[in-house]
Amino acid sequence: MLGAWFTLCLLLVGLPSWSADRDTPAIVVFGAASLTNVLQELGDGFTKQSAIPVKFSFAASSALARQIESGAPADVFFSADLEWMDYLQSRSLIQKESRHDVLGNRLVLIAPADSTVKLKIEPHFQLAAILGKSRLATGDPDSVPVGRYAQTALTTLGVWKDVADRLIRAESVRSALAFVDRGETPLGIVYETDALIDKKVRVVDVFPSDTHQPIVYPIALTSVAKADAAKFVAYIRGPAGDLAFKAYGFTPLH
């Protein structure tokens, strides 16, 4: 009798534990690189509340949009600009009625935290002179949203031609941030929220909002989204999302 009980205990110990992952498919969220920290925090909160797991893929919005176009099984797309959301909408790869503009951000010029560089961003400011023989890190203007905003701002200010051939064309805003963080370049252009999470960089100045298009983060369900994905979108557009986004320096849009 004792032997039978011992055998039963061993069998029970060997059984896998019960979890949401076992019965509930994970929601797959493709998010702009600048959303990495805040979305991971919100994903944890959503899963604790709903028992629905969430998986993330973070990269430049351009790369994520093209992956979705190629058939990647994403449920949610959270872009750092309107253009890449428009790109997917024009190809019927998102659910148009689920699309919402969620966040705003600011464009900033950064330097390593121990740098003594001082620059006031204004028309024809001395960006090229401060760079000297060094380079300026930002996203690739041909595809990465932060790079597009940077090109527009520098063009408006009349300094784009002075630095266009001296860019480090990073694959995402976080890659651009890393170049400055590591001291590999003296200046970079990123979002304010990225600068706030990295103690190894500091904001030199903020680009005036009228030098570039408004920085808007839209979200939408993809055309193949699972039903539970709408619950996650509703969660991050609700009070929990507002609190988290504000804490990370974003501006919630309503």
Side-chain angles (χ1 to χ4, degrees):
M1 188 72 177
L2 183 60
W5 172 251
F6 182 69
T7 300
L8 178 60
C9 287
L10 286 177
L11 289 171
L12 290 174
V13 168
L15 290 175
S17 59
W18 185 267
S19 69
D21 286 338
R22 183 181 177 187
D23 293 323
T24 307
I27 297 167
V28 180
V29 179
F30 277 24
S34 51
L35 296 167
T36 300
N37 300 71
V38 66
L39 280 189
Q40 288 175 332
E41 181 177 309
L42 284 168
D44 289 342
F46 173 76
T47 299
K48 288 178 181 177
Q49 176 179 299
S50 66
I52 301 171
V54 184
K55 294 181 180 179
F56 295 100
S57 178
F58 296 107
S61 301
S62 52
L64 297 173
R66 286 169 175 152
Q67 288 173 28
I68 292 172
E69 183 182 23
S70 296
D75 298 299
V76 178
F77 180 47
F78 204 164
S79 174
D81 75 349
L82 299 172
E83 188 168 338
W84 284 108
M85 187 66 78
D86 292 341
Y87 180 87
L88 292 185
Q89 183 172 319
S90 68
R91 290 158 174 77
S92 301
L93 293 172
I94 64 164
Q95 299 178 34
K96 182 179 178 180
E97 68 282 359
S98 72
R99 178 176 175 171
H100 300 282
D101 293 341
V102 182
L103 301 172
N105 210 336
R106 298 203 296 176
L107 195 68
V108 298
L109 182 69
I110 61 169
D114 59 358
S115 168
T116 58
V117 168
K118 293 183 179 180
L119 264 178
K120 175 65 177 176
I121 296 176
E122 57 190 0
H124 307 290
F125 71 114
Q126 297 301 304
L127 179 59
I130 293 296
L131 282 173
K133 295 182 179 180
S134 300
R135 301 172 73 188
L136 175 69
T138 193
D140 186 345
D142 291 338
S143 58
V144 181
V146 71
R148 289 178 172 175
Y149 294 125
Q151 180 177 356
T152 300
L154 295 176
T155 300
T156 301
L157 294 163
V159 299
W160 171 250
K161 291 182 180 179
D162 298 333
V163 300
D165 61 350
R166 297 163 67 183
L167 294 184
I168 294 179
R169 294 172 171 255
E171 63 183 13
S172 73
V173 67
R174 288 297 173 89
S175 296
L177 179 69
F179 279 107
V180 183
D181 174 296
R182 297 192 296 260
E184 295 176 20
T185 183
L187 293 170
I189 299 176
V190 300
Y191 300 124
E192 183 178 39
T193 52
D194 295 292
L196 291 174
I197 65 165
D198 192 332
K199 302 305 180 185
K200 293 184 179 181
V201 307
R202 66 177 180 85
V203 174
V204 176
D205 202 6
V206 179
F207 283 88
S209 60
D210 61 359
T211 62
H212 57 82
Q213 305 95 325
I215 299 173
V216 177
Y217 290 69
I219 194 169
L221 300 175
T222 67
S223 58
V224 296
K226 293 184 282 291
D228 283 340
K231 298 177 183 177
F232 177 73
V233 172
Y235 177 81
I236 66 171
R237 294 185 64 227
D242 275 3
L243 287 173
F245 290 128
K246 288 177 181 177
Y248 279 88
F250 293 94
T251 302
L253 304 177
H254 296 284

